Amino acid sequence: MELNTLWFCLIAVLWTGYLVLEGFDFGVGMWLSILGKTASERRAVLRTIGPVWDGNEVWLLTAGGATFAAFPEWYATLFSGFYLPLFLILVALIVRGVGLEFRSKLEGPRWQRRWEQAIQVGSWIPALLWGVAFANIVRGVPLDANHQFTGTFLGLLSPFALLGGLATTLLFLSHGAVFVALKTQGTLRTRALGWAKRMALPTLGVSGAFGLWTQVRYSVAWTWPVLGFVALALGAAALSVWREREGQAFTFNCLAIAGVVVLLFGSLFPDVMPALDPAHSLTVQNASSTAYTLRIMTYVAVALVPFVLAYQGWTYWVFRQRVTVDELTPTLGEG
C-alpha cells in the first residue's frame, strides 16, 4: 500500500474515533433538558461525559492536523470552500466547551440554565452540520482547474446533504440516549432508555435511506457489504435497546457509526475531494504531501499513537462507574 493511500485510511480511522466518541457527547448535550428534569438530574447527565468530552475532541484536532500534513491541498480546498459551515461548527464547539466548564462555576439557577442552553445549541449544530459536510464531500462540489471552490453556501444544502445531516443528528441522538442509560441508574436510566426506544426506528429508517442513496448514487461495489453491516448493526442496537441491554446497544451503535465512516470514505476513494467536473477532482495522488513527509508522519504515528490510545482507554476505565442523582449534593436553586 502506498503511503498516501495509507494516510487516507488513517484519516478515516481518526474520523471514526471522533464521530463514535464525540457522537455520544453531542447526543448527551442534545438530550440535556429532556432527560434532566431538575438541575440535579441535568448535572448528573453532564457528569456522564464530564471526564471524557475534552479528550474525545482531540480526535478532531488530530484528524485535522493529519489532513493538513498529509493532504495539504485537500485541507486548503475543504476549509476555504466549506468556510461558513466549518466556522459555525467551530463556534458551536467553543460555546459547548465553555458551557461545560462554566456551568458549575456559580450556583444561581439563571446562570446554570443559560450555560445548559449553550451546551444544547453547541451540540445540535455540529451534529447536523457534520452530516451535511460529509454528504457534500461524497457528492462532489464545484471546483475549478486550480481546485478552488466556486459554489455557494446555499449550494451545499442539497436534499442529499440535508438527509445526511438528519442521519447524523438521529445517530448521535440515539447514541447519546444509550450512553446516558449506560452511565446512570434509576429514573435517569429509565427515561434515557425510553427515548432510545423511541429513536431506534427513525434512526434506522433515515440512516438506511441516506446509506442506500450514497451507495446507489456515489459509491462502489465493494461497499455494499458495508451498507449491509450498518443496517444489521443499527437493527441489533434497536433490538438491544428494547431488551434494555444498553451495553450491547452502545457497542452496536459504535459499530454502525464506524460502518458509516467506511461507507463514506470508501465512496470517496481514490478521490479526497470530488469535483462536479471529474477532471478537477482532488485525489490521493495530486493532493498529497511528498513521500518523505508521509514517511516521517508514519514513524511519528507508530511511536505515539499507542500511548494516546492507552491513556484514553485508561481514562474510560477509571471513570466507568455509573452516575446517580442521589450522590450529587444539590446546589442553590436546584429543584
Side-chain angles (χ1 to χ4, degrees):
M1 180 184 293
E2 296 183 0
L3 286 178
N4 48 24
T5 301
L6 173 64
W7 273 97
F8 177 84
C9 296
L10 290 177
I11 289 171
V13 171
L14 292 172
W15 276 107
T16 300
Y18 174 69
L19 295 176
V20 166
L21 299 176
E22 193 79 329
F24 67 72
D25 285 349
F26 291 146
V28 170
M30 290 187 281
W31 284 116
L32 180 57
S33 64
I34 299 174
L35 295 180
K37 301 299 184 182
T38 67
S40 293
E41 288 182 343
R42 290 190 292 274
R43 188 149 60 102
V45 169
L46 291 177
R47 282 195 58 177
T48 63
I49 61 172
V52 298
W53 70 268
D54 47 355
N56 294 342
E57 287 192 346
V58 172
W59 288 83
L60 175 61
L61 299 176
T62 308
T67 304
F68 174 77
F71 300 99
E73 283 210 53
W74 182 16
Y75 183 93
T77 300
L78 177 65
F79 278 81
S80 60
F82 290 17
Y83 179 81
L84 183 55
L86 292 178
F87 177 76
L88 291 174
I89 290 173
L90 177 61
V91 171
L93 292 176
I94 292 172
V95 169
R96 185 179 71 111
V98 173
L100 287 166
E101 293 291 345
F102 275 39
R103 180 196 177 274
S104 60
K105 299 304 181 183
L106 292 178
E107 297 181 349
R110 187 176 180 184
W111 169 275
Q112 293 178 354
R113 288 298 291 170
R114 285 183 174 178
W115 287 118
E116 288 166 2
Q117 291 167 359
I119 294 168
Q120 292 174 88
V121 172
S123 299
W124 278 97
I125 291 175
L128 174 66
L129 291 184
W130 279 130
V132 172
F134 273 104
N136 273 289
I137 294 173
V138 170
R139 182 176 69 99
V141 294
L143 300 178
D144 61 20
N146 296 317
H147 302 139
Q148 297 295 313
F149 180 78
T150 58
T152 64
F153 175 71
L154 291 179
L156 299 176
L157 303 179
S158 66
F160 176 70
L162 293 175
L163 181 61
L166 181 59
T168 53
T169 301
L170 291 176
L171 277 171
F172 295 159
L173 278 169
S174 295
H175 203 30
V178 170
F179 183 76
V180 173
L182 181 64
K183 290 289 293 179
T184 58
Q185 300 180 31
T187 302
L188 271 181
R189 175 181 177 271
T190 302
R191 195 177 297 149
L193 278 174
W195 279 107
K197 292 175 183 178
R198 295 185 185 98
M199 295 300 303
L201 289 181
T203 301
L204 177 59
V206 173
S207 300
F210 174 67
L212 186 61
W213 191 344
T214 302
Q215 179 63 48
V216 171
R217 181 65 180 85
Y218 303 107
S219 201
V220 292
W222 72 264
T223 54
W224 274 108
V226 178
L227 178 61
F229 173 82
V230 172
L232 288 174
L234 288 175
L239 183 61
S240 298
V241 165
W242 279 100
R243 292 178 174 176
E244 298 191 354
R245 296 176 179 175
E246 57 269 30
Q248 292 181 7
F250 182 77
T251 300
F252 286 124
N253 275 338
C254 292
L255 293 174
I257 294 173
V260 170
V261 176
V262 173
L263 174 63
L264 294 175
F265 275 78
S267 302
L268 276 177
F269 188 81
D271 293 334
V272 293
M273 194 77 172
L276 298 182
D277 181 352
H280 299 159
S281 294
L282 285 168
T283 69
V284 293
Q285 298 293 336
N286 64 22
S288 71
S289 295
T290 65
Y292 177 77
T293 299
L294 296 177
R295 189 162 57 250
I296 295 299
M297 290 176 61
T298 304
Y299 294 150
V300 173
V302 169
L304 297 182
V305 168
F307 293 99
V308 175
L309 293 177
Y311 173 76
Q312 191 158 30
W314 175 80
T315 301
Y316 275 90
W317 175 256
V318 169
F319 295 102
R320 67 189 182 278
Q321 295 85 0
R322 291 179 182 259
V323 174
T324 62
V325 177
D326 294 339
E327 72 188 38
L328 304 176
T329 303
T331 58
L332 182 63
E334 292 187 347

